[in-house]
Amino acid sequence: MFKLMLEFNASLHIKNRQGLTPLTLAAKLARKEMFQFILEKLRHLWFIYADIACGSYPLATIDTINEDGTTDTTSAIYLVVNGETEEHLELLEGFVVDLLNKKSFK
């Protein structure tokens, strides 16, 4: 159903009454497949050369720090790190771990 909605140009940036986007809702509910699917849909692919790809992700709903320096308690990383189930920890694999590593070593 979600893929069908995307085919009809549904927005991945719309928020529900809790202030959650589809990505942050997937993070809150610890839905790994949906979380990774939405991340890939949000990715901007800059170039592909042979087996190397360069892409970027918008940090608006992923990062825990707002532009004014406050903590965004509805961000994907915040919801994953503060999740109460083992499934939340599985979301840390791949993209989120890479992002946290890059941010912590700057």
Side-chain angles (χ1 to χ4, degrees):
M1 180 62 114
F2 188 74
K3 290 179 184 179
L4 179 64
M5 291 173 56
L6 288 179
E7 288 178 18
F8 286 97
N9 298 321
S11 174
L12 291 175
H13 304 289
I14 194 167
K15 294 184 178 184
N16 66 10
R17 292 181 185 164
Q18 296 174 319
L20 301 174
T21 65
L23 178 69
T24 55
L25 181 60
K28 183 175 182 169
L29 298 175
R31 301 291 192 249
K32 184 177 180 177
E33 288 181 28
M34 183 62 70
F35 183 76
Q36 291 175 337
F37 175 78
I38 296 170
L39 273 178
E40 287 306 308
K41 289 295 181 186
L42 290 171
R43 180 179 69 166
H44 177 80
L45 192 58
W46 293 98
F47 69 85
I48 298 174
Y49 182 76
D51 62 344
I52 298 172
C54 178
S56 62
Y57 297 88
L59 293 179
T61 59
I62 298 171
D63 201 3
T64 56
I65 307 299
N66 290 319
E67 291 180 15
D68 62 2
T70 60
T71 302
D72 181 1
T73 58
T74 62
S75 72
I77 292 176
Y78 185 91
L79 293 168
V80 168
V81 171
N82 291 294
E84 298 176 357
T85 67
E86 288 185 25
E87 287 80 16
H88 284 95
L89 297 176
E90 292 177 15
L91 295 178
L92 291 174
E93 296 174 7
F95 170 77
V96 177
V97 170
D98 293 343
L99 182 65
L100 289 173
N101 284 333
K102 289 175 186 173
K103 287 182 66 80
S104 64
F105 293 112
K106 281 190 174 183

